[in-house]
Amino acid sequence: MRKLLKDILDKGQVGEEYVAKGWVRSRRDSKGLSFLVLGDGSSMQTLQVVLGAEVPGYDALLPDLGTGASVAVTGELVESPGKGQRVELKAHAIELLGKADPETYPLQKKGHSHEFLRTIAHLRPRTNLFGAVFRIRDTLAQATHRFFSDNGFRYVHTPIITASDCEGAGEMFEVRATSKDDFFGRPAMLTVSGQLNGEAMAYGLGQIYTFGPTFRAENSNTSRHLSEFWMIEPEAAFYDIVDDQDLAEAYLKALIESVFRENPDDLEFLGKFVDKTLIGNLEMTRDNRFERVSYTEAVEILQKSGKKWEFPVSWGTDLQSEHERFLTEEHFKKPVMLTAYPKEIKAFYMFQNDDGKTVGAMDVLVPGIGEIIGGSQREHRLDRLEARLVADGMHLEDYAWYLDLNRYGAVPHAGFGLGFERAVMFCTGMSNIRDVIPFPRSPGQAHF
Ligand code: ATP
Ligand code: MN
């Protein structure tokens, strides 16, 4: 296998010959000598190549060795006299693999706005910024599988095409065949959540998680909503709401630890150029016990805050982003887990508390984002579940298979959904969700 630049930089032996392949980030010429800075996306680090005029083809190639050009350089690894790098490559041979015409290549200069880069989503992975973001996204995905696997959760796949609207979680996208009407014999949609299928799997395997794409046609053009996003949904049999909170807290902390361990350079870059509070926020989240309060307590805090809210708060209203962010950023100054929400504003499947008014919901709020996780203990008592569905005006026949789960061998169980892009935002400091997924889909936007 080809050696990555990061391996040459970290482990390469001085005096040995290496072939370095990558893209020219920048070039500096001095007399009879050029310095190429090469990157290949394997890390934030770059390899400096010293290209002497004696290298075959030097004069002919030089005009094309500009920013963005791709090259393969063979040379000897030598100690670098320069600061901030252990080694550099003294070239013996260079091959130009692909030119990048400076007249048209948009990534010549540094310092493009995030908005501009969004219009060239096919090229932005080549920037330092998006390299850092997408390397961290990968770390978080790998850490997710590791965390759940290490804790006895099985990775399961739930359908993407579904005929059940799990929780009425907003508008859905319809799926139709181009060739045939009524392909599935009933209206079919893209999934808004794998939860109900996840519960079925948890009743077999005990503890499961899904990690899949999720689609919501909500027309909310905010910086925290996408039409297509990825969600991680663990579901555990024999869990109550406190177990669910413990799991969510341990998972978020494991995610943060993974980024500190695997992406120190990327974090440093993002902390410097994107969000000065990033590293502090992550350390604070990793090192503190999350605040656990009830919805009712949160409403009291919000009412006593003396703040002017765009959306007034009273018991029974859903919390808005401004409220969530006040609680986590200003009041508690750390992540907050809210529980016991009014049943009217939460989905039918949530565990009905004894007070008759609240359900065992659990939302996790973090600074800079607001809601990152939404979860609950599920109602496993069949009579209560049916009564809630009926009260909500639903038809029990439509939920027949879901009700079967708790008709046979019901046990307390709980789970949650983490919006993966919100986690990537939190761990990169990026403020727009369109900038943490490679090719974002949102209302009016499905280019690339
Ligand atoms: P919000 O109130 O922020 O719209 P929600 O309550 O509708 O979220 P849930 O149904 O609880 O969201 O989904 C679980 C998680 O999925 C949320 O906590 C959030 O992290 C994420 N999420 C929900 N909707 C979106 C979306 N449109 N784009 C990206 N992530 C989302
Ligand atoms: Mn929610």
Side-chain angles (χ1 to χ4, degrees), residues 237-288:
F238 312 107
Y239 258 43
D240 65 13
I241 187 79
V242 176
D243 299 321
D244 206 31
Q245 289 180 307
D246 292 344
L247 181 71
E249 181 166 346
Y251 171 42
L252 279 177
K253 287 177 171 173
L255 288 184
I256 292 169
E257 274 168 17
S258 73
V259 178
F260 275 118
R261 191 171 56 240
E262 290 166 42
N263 302 76
D265 297 350
D266 295 324
L267 270 184
E268 192 189 320
F269 177 88
L270 293 162
K272 206 156 139 195
F273 296 111
V274 170
D275 176 6
K276 299 244 177 327
T277 68
L278 170 64
I279 293 178
N281 270 341
L282 291 177
E283 285 173 343
M284 174 271 286
T285 303
R286 180 192 59 191
D287 299 338
N288 281 290

Side-chain angles (χ1 to χ4, degrees), residues 216 218 224-226 229 231 371-374 417 419 422 433:
R216 296 189 185 177
E218 51 200 351
R224 298 173 312 115
H225 291 90
L226 289 165
F229 62 102
M231 190 145 68
E371 180 184 331
I372 193 167
I373 287 179
R422 299 224 181 139
I433 197 164

Side-chain angles (χ1 to χ4, degrees), residues 224 320-330 368-370:
R224 298 173 312 115
Q320 303 292 326
S321 175
E322 57 173 340
H323 311 128
E324 295 175 342
R325 294 189 57 172
F326 171 82
L327 291 168
T328 173
E329 288 167 21
E330 294 181 50
I369 308 282

